[in-house]
Amino acid sequence: MSKKYVYTFGAGKAEGNATMKLLLGGGLNETTIEGIIKKSGNERFAWDAYRRFVQMYGDVVLNMKPESKEEEDPFEVIIDQVKEKNGITLDTELVPADLKELVALFKAEIKKRTGYEFPTEPWEQLWGSISAVFGSWNNPRALTYRKLNKIPPDWGTAVNVQAMVFGNMGDDCATGVAFTRDPATGENKFYGEYLVNAQGEDVVAGTRTPQPVNETTKSDPSHKTLEEIMPEAYKELEGIYKKLEEHYRDMQDIEFTIQKGRLWMLQTRSGKRTAAAAVRIAVEMVKEELLKKEEAIMSIDPEQLDQLLHPTFDPKADKNIITTGLPASPGAATGRIVFHADDAEEWAERGENTILVRIETSPEDIGGMNVAEGILTALGGMTSHAAVVARGMGTCCVAGCGELQVSYKNRTMTVNSKVYKEGDWISLDGSKGEVIEGKVPTIDPELSGDFGELMSWADEVRKLNIRTNADTPHDSSVARNFGAEGIGLCRTEHMFFEGDRIKAVREMILADDEAGRRKALDKLLPYQREDFYGIFKAMHDLPVTVRTLDPPLHEFLPHEEQNQEEMAKELGITAAEVKAKVDSLHEINPMLGHRGCRLGISYPEITEMQVRAIMESACRLTKEGVTVYPEIMIPLIGTKAELANQREVVVRVAEQVQKEMNIKVNYMVGTMIEIPRAALTADEVAEEAEFFSFGTNDLTQMTFGFSRDDAGKFLKEYYEEGILTEDPFQTLDQTGVGQLVKIAIEKGRKVKPDLKIGICGEHGGDPKSVGFCHRVGMNYVSCSPYRVPIARLAAAQEALHGEK
Amino acid sequence: MSKKYVYTFGAGKAEGNATMKLLLGGGLNETTIEGIIKKSGNERFAWDAYRRFVQMYGDVVLNMKPESKEEEDPFEVIIDQVKEKNGITLDTELVPADLKELVALFKAEIKKRTGYEFPTEPWEQLWGSISAVFGSWNNPRALTYRKLNKIPPDWGTAVNVQAMVFGNMGDDCATGVAFTRDPATGENKFYGEYLVNAQGEDVVAGTRTPQPVNETTKSDPSHKTLEEIMPEAYKELEGIYKKLEEHYRDMQDIEFTIQKGRLWMLQTRSGKRTAAAAVRIAVEMVKEELLKKEEAIMSIDPEQLDQLLHPTFDPKADKNIITTGLPASPGAATGRIVFHADDAEEWAERGENTILVRIETSPEDIGGMNVAEGILTALGGMTSHAAVVARGMGTCCVAGCGELQVSYKNRTMTVNSKVYKEGDWISLDGSKGEVIEGKVPTIDPELSGDFGELMSWADEVRKLNIRTNADTPHDSSVARNFGAEGIGLCRTEHMFFEGDRIKAVREMILADDEAGRRKALDKLLPYQREDFYGIFKAMHDLPVTVRTLDPPLHEFLPHEEQNQEEMAKELGITAAEVKAKVDSLHEINPMLGHRGCRLGISYPEITEMQVRAIMESACRLTKEGVTVYPEIMIPLIGTKAELANQREVVVRVAEQVQKEMNIKVNYMVGTMIEIPRAALTADEVAEEAEFFSFGTNDLTQMTFGFSRDDAGKFLKEYYEEGILTEDPFQTLDQTGVGQLVKIAIEKGRKVKPDLKIGICGEHGGDPKSVGFCHRVGMNYVSCSPYRVPIARLAAAQEALHGEK
């Protein structure tokens, strides 16, 4: 590079979207300025360029910034002083002499504040700038960007050094940005904006209105297109964008400058686009023979599909956002505030749309959560009860909304001292975490033809089966429509809360002996039988994995005094008896307490009732000519003996029921692998199991020693300190937890080479984790209904990735 | 075997003490009885033998038992009827005809009740008996015995068939039992009892007073010794016992019968003995050249040594046992009942001995637990807070005493409706779990010369170092006296509770910002510095591993309203503020919450203070010429990044202090391996660690998914159902948790071949687990002071075992 060149440089990394952009002019000093004046014939332009350079270099390289948040930018202060002195108000009124003065004043101020003599030697400027770019990799903005986009810090950055061109040398100059296709819809049309006699920043700064590059982009008839005013440059640009798209075989986001009639390309990169655009572009590019089907599949970010699968607020609507929380479950919901789950149910019965607002939710709230349009909580993270259940239901949820103060007593929520009462309308944007005052109109998702086509291509190549986690016939049908090939996790505890059932459940818990428990369980049997009948029917011809009761019994009892009194009245006992039972079931660490198979071992009659319900409905459907594949799954086992104990109960009752009903059903018995010890001793466990299903939520909790309910507090600091780069509850920790998964698969298949293996933790819907599941040889992943398409695409991508 | 033989048979297994004994006569019928009458010339003897045989065979083989608990033994009912009919009261008054009638009546009753014709064919009788013996392996008594003695069910049993001899054929017959040495003291003297004209069961049944075999055994001058009345048989017996002892090279427990002047040996086996006897016999046998030193070491059960290391109640004293609980921490204690930890401290100050009685204990009680003579709890298992802390302190503890009802309000405890008030005297036997009314005199342990000698032999052969878990200079000295070679775990949280410190700790927790926390920590620094000064000094020349703060902060705050008010008053804030803090620190699963290194990462100033205290005292001692080896240990890490974060703090402060004090100290930084993920990623973790210490308590909790605080409820059922055969918190689960230990050692040493590795969980004092630690290549185990000798012996045994 010659010393005489004026240059710009920027930083970026070709991989992924991890581009960090930082542009600096440079190579300017009193000597080169003279050259520019001669070349451009424009003294003001040259001195203004120099002024801008000194200002930006001082800021970015020499780090001259305001000393406090209150202080103004020192450069702007100097500019204002000069303008005042000369009695002018606009920057554009500054004449070359003013600008020259500003350069001198800036340099003096820099010297005064930072101690640096402003470098006039271009090489020194260049190295200073290069260092600044490298240094910018670790500035706070970059850290935040990386965190949001899950970019590892060790990727580092690159530095580009380019010769400088100017779009602001006169009216034969221009600069613009364009997309080779419409980034909102994906439509195949060239789409861009430009400004005459301007620099790139003027286009984006909004001080002048950019003009459309062509007719297709034009919205205002008074605008002049680039095509019209500089037809030759436009024609050249058209040729180049087509070449670029053909070369990169992707929609491009380009920047260009026209300097004195000559077109210069500054940058091209793959353009950001909406999910709908991404799908349309990929499918159309296959039809245009620009891409192969496999490449089209690889071109879509599975995570982005989420946008397409939930209703969204009309982007044109006005929104008064009163606060934001975590985007816990995507979707858009509008409804009237209620504060209690049973109110939500009551209001729903009379046809009201509600938003259930809670400090946090518990399994008791399940009925209300199920009927509410949306859920809003003050506490809890992305993996809180509210968030997990809402995602499972496909219900919109904003969680952990710190500014929200909820008073159950007054039935109010207060945000920044504004009080909202029960019955007030609010709206939630679960994809953005926004809480909005009043009603906002929504638009329904359209799973367009392009989407269906892309999915069918994905299904052709993927090896993993995709199942869903669903507990109701409705959820099962939704998931089946989304392409689910079975149920990987049907939780039975949710079924215990609905309607009158909870009464029988509580009777069972309060019973003094087995006889009392059996009496209560007999009442539950018909309900459970109907539950399974509906689910098996909805999933006909596909396997359904049913997990026996998992949560600790105290979750089914009320913890508030008033509710305990109500319950006592219902059951005809004293409130003290209820309280005594609640106390005796209290656990210090319920997550590691009396739950999962430990319940079934203590109370085999519970397992018996559940197996009977499963098998009776399976037998009935078989008689009705419906093919069913029940898979009975025992949770939380850590030893072979636990599984053997429960397997004996399952097989005994299953055989009994088939004999009674005189029909055979294909059923399997298997287990969750969610305790580290189960993974470590999977060879022993496999002797009693026909399938494994990794419960990676609990496995992650125990492998990390993190309680999902409590870890939110310190995990935030962990991300900030870079101790963790990803949330291990969202993306499977392949380094640690993944080892246990691998060990279990290896040991399990050593004993039973055909062991069916899947995953039913939240990770089953996370693209990265789906990739891992493919690589370690699982048969299927299971995720919430609304993530089934995402998992299908991720599985296809990993299959293609493996082929390479 | 000829049909004519009369036989006995019994069952046993040679390995260990897993002997099950079951003796049956047999080979008797009308024909063989005639032969016996001829041979013995004693008709009554023959028919009585037949009667006994039918009765026992009916019971054991044909399973004729009372149908309910209320019903009497049907055989005894028949005997009573026959006696009544004949007008006699004693069994001995039954004449041959009566006995003959009984045989017939018994057989008829058996036929009636069981449907079985009593077999008269000896071969059929023999096979029936053999089957009964094999079957007895799974009877409830055997199950209980195996559970208590940790014998796996798959060992199975053997059956011996022997010809029968009779000690009850007349006055030239006798039967007896003897020990080749005194089983209480170990003294080398032949020690036994016998009866003339009797069968073995008569000696043990207590209906006739057994006589001493020789002068040494004699205590009553009126008794006749076997030596006196049957000198020839005695002399032969003497020759045989010496031969047997020489052959087996162990003290023997023998049974013999003299039939018509001829001596028959029925059985010999290694005799049960007290710990004191075991040690004395082993040491003396080495001196007698019967055993090699290595064999003497192997002959002692390390677990049994526990008996020798705590004061015990005088066995001669009368004891009114009012209830029993779990033998949570051995020892004998007498004191006055108090119900609150601070009362214990107050009473101790005025010189009272107390027994602290609690529903359960918490870390807040530590002060009171420390000064109490003994601890009694109504709830909690062998691994409850009370039990663990008590064992660590060497304080006697009876835990989980179910019959105990404690009223803190009334300051009473009620056992079986008897009420004991504050101030009443009780005694606890921590080795047996007994709660005794009033005072019981104790005797102190004597670590006799034999004990010391045996330990020195053990030290010569063992490879493992033995450290101790100690948190005070006093405990450190006790452990050192017991042979500890360093401290493997010095918990710093106990230090936070004493005296005024808790106030500063609470100030720190309540502080709003870092500055406030630092201010409070500054107050703690001098205390901590003195703590470490004392401990390092007591352990001069030996390494001391100090763990930084581990428990969640809420453990340091009061949970009861009254205490919160007191605290608020002390700190000059409102009770509401205290309550708000307590609530904000509340966790659903504190075990998996904000604790361990997670605290140090959130509040590096806590780690800084602790490291400063450690290093300042280490530097001071070094200046005073005392050699110290502090090892700073970070708890609860699951990722390399966590350790790196805390290591940076430790090294920074440690270097700073050394610079300030101008002296160098050898210190190390390492980590606990107690989270499954840390074990799985030990290669990464090792890069930041100079040592590993396995925290197998937490590792077991997380690997099994068991909360120690809550698992008691269902673990009981697990043992009963045979799902677990051993308590994984007492004996390391080698199958599951052990795999993680092995993985971590292998991966850690791959990165750092010289990585120092130990264990500091409770398992460090369990002989079986010590064996495992030796085999997997650890450098040391660390256990509570009172278990150090046990670990020394266990380590020696494993080293010898490995050599074989």
Side-chain angles (χ1 to χ4, degrees), chain A residues 100-169:
Chain A
K100 202 170 171 178
E101 185 188 357
L102 279 176
V103 167
L105 288 171
F106 283 0
K107 287 181 175 178
E109 188 70 13
I110 289 168
K111 170 81 178 147
K112 189 177 130 201
R113 292 207 180 208
T114 69
Y116 291 115
E117 198 74 59
F118 193 88
T120 53
E121 170 59 45
W123 277 107
E124 199 185 337
Q125 291 172 359
L126 180 56
W127 283 114
S129 303
I130 289 172
S131 302
V133 175
F134 282 127
S136 72
W137 182 249
N138 284 323
N139 73 26
R141 214 154 27 111
L143 293 177
T144 306
Y145 181 85
R146 282 207 293 279
K147 205 174 75 185
L148 286 174
N149 292 279
K150 297 183 182 176
I151 297 164
D154 59 352
W155 275 10
T157 187
V159 176
N160 292 321
V161 179
Q162 290 185 330
M164 186 92 178
V165 288
F166 297 93
N168 57 347
M169 273 190 187

Side-chain angles (χ1 to χ4, degrees), chain A residues 41 199 374 383 504:
Chain A
Q199 275 197 311
T383 54

Side-chain angles (χ1 to χ4, degrees), chain B residues 675-731:
Chain B
I675 283 190
R677 196 181 186 284
L680 292 164
T681 60
D683 43 353
E684 296 182 1
V685 174
E687 288 170 14
E688 296 287 338
E690 282 155 281
F691 64 89
F692 281 176
S693 179
F694 287 94
T696 46
N697 297 352
D698 276 4
L699 193 60
T700 299
Q701 293 198 83
M702 291 185 224
T703 306
F704 270 94
F706 289 161
S707 157
R708 274 166 48 145
D709 295 304
D710 306 305
K713 281 183 210 168
F714 59 84
L715 285 186
K716 201 165 151 271
E717 287 164 354
Y718 272 34
Y719 301 131
E720 279 164 14
E721 298 276 336
I723 290 171
L724 283 178
T725 49
E726 288 183 325
D727 179 351
F729 293 112
Q730 290 210 342
T731 298

Side-chain angles (χ1 to χ4, degrees), chain B residues 327-396:
Chain B
S329 177
T334 288
R336 300 177 70 180
I337 298 173
V338 292
F339 295 98
H340 297 278
D342 46 3
D343 292 336
E345 290 185 85
E346 232 181 272
W347 290 42
E349 268 173 38
R350 54 176 204 253
E352 296 275 8
N353 287 343
T354 59
I355 303 288
L356 178 61
V357 180
R358 299 284 300 164
I359 295 172
E360 54 195 332
T361 62
S362 76
E364 292 177 42
D365 299 329
I366 199 85
M369 294 170 79
N370 202 19
V371 297
E373 300 298 309
I375 296 155
L376 172 61
T377 66
L379 300 181
M382 294 294 285
T383 53
S384 62
H385 176 264
V388 172
V389 172
R391 281 200 291 279
M393 291 173 167
T395 299
C396 158

Side-chain angles (χ1 to χ4, degrees), chain A residues 4-65:
Chain A
K4 291 192 196 147
Y5 278 126
V6 176
Y7 52 83
T8 64
F9 32 132
K13 182 151 181 89
E15 299 158 62
N17 284 316
T19 321
M20 285 190 28
K21 209 169 146 186
L22 186 70
L23 292 172
L24 292 169
L28 294 173
N29 57 28
E30 273 67 13
T31 316
T32 57
I33 280 295
E34 291 306 317
I36 293 172
I37 293 172
K38 252 182 227 160
K39 202 172 156 193
S40 67
N42 187 336
E43 203 184 351
R44 189 187 185 282
F45 158 75
W47 279 107
D48 194 41
Y50 195 12
R51 189 271 302 174
R52 286 178 192 225
F53 167 61
V54 175
Q55 183 171 351
M56 194 178 279
Y57 194 94
D59 171 11
V60 175
V61 183
L62 303 177
N63 204 27
M64 189 167 105
K65 304 210 191 288

Side-chain angles (χ1 to χ4, degrees), chain A residues 110-358:
Chain A
I110 289 168
K111 170 81 178 147
K112 189 177 130 201
R113 292 207 180 208
T114 69
Y116 291 115
E117 198 74 59
F118 193 88
T120 53
E121 170 59 45
W123 277 107
E124 199 185 337
Q125 291 172 359
L126 180 56
W127 283 114
S129 303
I130 289 172
S131 302
V133 175
F134 282 127
S136 72
W137 182 249
N138 284 323
N139 73 26
R141 214 154 27 111
L143 293 177
T144 306
Y145 181 85
R146 282 207 293 279
K147 205 174 75 185
L148 286 174
N149 292 279
K150 297 183 182 176
I151 297 164
D154 59 352
W155 275 10
T157 187
V159 176
N160 292 321
V161 179
Q162 290 185 330
M164 186 92 178
V165 288
F166 297 93
N168 57 347
M169 273 190 187
D171 286 346
D172 55 352
C173 302
T175 194
V177 295
F179 291 89
T180 58
R181 304 192 181 209
D182 187 330
T185 65
E187 194 187 342
N188 188 358
K189 65 179 186 186
F190 186 53
Y191 183 98
E193 296 174 326
Y194 79 103
L195 276 175
V196 169
N197 195 13
Q199 275 197 311
E201 60 184 84
D202 301 321
V203 180
V204 291
T207 43
R208 287 167 61 191
T209 309
Q211 307 287 306
V213 288
N214 54 17
E215 281 301 315
T216 3
T217 311
K218 201 185 227 177
S219 56
D220 181 335
S222 72
H223 286 164
K224 286 268 178 209
T225 66
L226 184 68
E227 196 174 3
E228 287 169 295
I229 67 157
M230 297 184 183
E232 268 178 55
Y234 179 77
K235 205 168 170 195
E236 198 183 352
L237 180 63
E238 221 173 26
I240 288 172
Y241 97 70
K242 282 179 184 156
K243 200 183 233 168
L244 284 171
E245 205 185 69
E246 226 161 291
H247 176 79
Y248 288 108
R249 300 191 301 154
D250 194 9
M251 187 264 269
Q252 294 296 298
D253 168 354
I254 57 180
E255 294 181 20
F256 59 90
T257 284
I258 297 163
Q259 179 178 302
K260 298 202 165 283
R262 181 163 176 202
L263 176 68
W264 298 85
M265 298 306 294
L266 302 187
Q267 178 174 290
T268 187
R269 57 178 172 180
S270 287
K272 288 210 193 303
R273 66 207 80 177
T274 63
V279 171
R280 177 167 175 179
I281 290 169
V283 172
E284 289 187 354
M285 281 192 170
V286 171
K287 293 185 179 158
E288 293 161 24
E289 292 181 4
L290 258 179
L291 291 184
K292 289 187 221 154
K293 280 180 186 179
E294 291 76 13
E295 291 166 324
I297 291 167
M298 296 303 283
S299 77
I300 311 285
D301 174 8
E303 201 61 66
Q304 212 190 0
L305 290 188
D306 206 31
Q307 286 178 24
L308 300 181
L309 305 172
H310 298 271
T312 47
F313 285 129
D314 186 343
K316 291 172 211 141
D318 283 334
K319 294 187 292 182
N320 176 14
I321 298 163
I322 56 178
T323 185
T324 57
L326 297 168
S329 177
T334 287
R336 301 178 68 182
I337 298 173
V338 292
F339 294 98
H340 297 279
D342 44 5
D343 291 337
E345 290 184 84
E346 232 179 271
W347 290 43
E349 268 173 37
R350 56 175 203 254
E352 296 275 9
N353 286 345
T354 58
I355 302 288
L356 179 60
V357 179
R358 301 282 301 163

Side-chain angles (χ1 to χ4, degrees), chain A residues 584-594 597-598 601-602 639 641-642 645 675-677 680-681 684 702-707 709-710 713-714 717-718 721 723 733 735-736 739-740 747, chain B residues 584-594 597-598 601-602 639 641-642 645 675-677 680-681 684 702-707 709-710 713-714 717-718 721 723 733 735-736 739-740 747:
Chain A
S584 82
L585 289 178
H586 172 76
E587 291 182 314
I588 299 185
N589 297 291
M591 150 75 194
L592 308 175
H594 198 199
C597 70
R598 301 162 194 176
I601 290 168
S602 295
T639 63
E642 289 170 305
N645 174 297
I675 284 190
R677 195 180 187 284
L680 292 163
T681 61
E684 296 183 1
M702 292 185 222
T703 306
F704 270 94
F706 288 162
S707 157
D709 296 305
D710 306 305
K713 281 182 211 169
F714 58 85
E717 287 164 355
Y718 273 33
E721 298 276 335
I723 290 171
D733 160 50
T735 318
Q739 278 192 57
L740 286 177
K747 290 196 170 186
Chain B
S584 84
L585 289 177
H586 171 75
E587 290 181 316
I588 299 188
N589 298 290
M591 150 75 194
L592 307 176
H594 199 199
C597 70
R598 300 162 193 176
I601 291 169
S602 295
T639 62
E642 288 170 306
N645 174 297
I675 283 190
R677 196 181 186 284
L680 292 164
T681 60
E684 296 182 1
M702 291 185 224
T703 306
F704 270 94
F706 289 161
S707 157
D709 295 304
D710 306 305
K713 281 183 210 168
F714 59 84
E717 287 164 354
Y718 272 34
E721 298 276 336
I723 290 171
D733 160 50
T735 318
Q739 278 191 57
L740 286 178
K747 290 195 169 186

